[in-house]
Amino acid sequence: RQYSIEELKSIADRFEQRGMNKEGKELRNHIDDMVCAKKKGIDFRHPSPELMKEGLSRGIDLSNESVVRMLEHLQQSQPKHGTFNFESAMRSYEEDQRKNIEGMVASMGRKELGM
C-alpha cells in the first residue's frame, strides 16, 4: 500500500504522541525528501546508473536524446496537483516538435533542402 503525504504526517504525529520521537523524526525527514524529490522531478539528462537500468528494464533508453526530450516535456506538463493527462501531454509534445521542425526547415536554404 502506498500512503499519501498527509497519511504519513499523521503516522509521524502518532509516533511522537507515543514518545517514539526518533521514529517520528525519521519519518518526517523521509516525508521532506519525498516532497523535495516530487518538486524537483527526475533529472533525465544526468541519470544515475540505477535509473538507466530501470529505464532499460521498461524499454526506455535514457541515452537517446529524443527520449530524454520527450520525458522532460511530459514531466513539465504534469500538474503539481491533480491528474496527469498523458494524451494531452503527448499532443503538446508533438506540437512543440512540429514547430521545431518547421522552424529548422524555414531556416534552411534551397541547397540544404536538396532543391
Side-chain angles (χ1 to χ4, degrees), residues 61-69:
D61 181 3
L62 294 175
S63 65
N64 182 315
E65 178 64 23
S66 296
V67 170
V68 170
R69 280 196 311 266

Side-chain angles (χ1 to χ4, degrees), residues 34-83:
M34 286 173 39
V35 169
C36 184
K38 187 174 183 179
K39 285 181 183 176
K40 283 185 188 176
I42 297 171
D43 184 359
F44 296 112
R45 296 225 171 254
H46 305 98
S48 66
E50 294 82 17
L51 185 57
M52 288 289 288
K53 185 178 177 182
E54 173 76 16
L56 289 173
S57 75
R58 297 172 184 261
I60 300 169
D61 181 3
L62 294 175
S63 65
N64 182 315
E65 178 64 23
S66 296
V67 170
V68 170
R69 280 196 311 266
M70 182 186 70
L71 290 170
E72 287 175 336
H73 187 84
L74 291 173
Q75 182 169 264
Q76 291 167 359
S77 299
Q78 185 172 355
K80 298 297 179 204
H81 304 286
T83 59

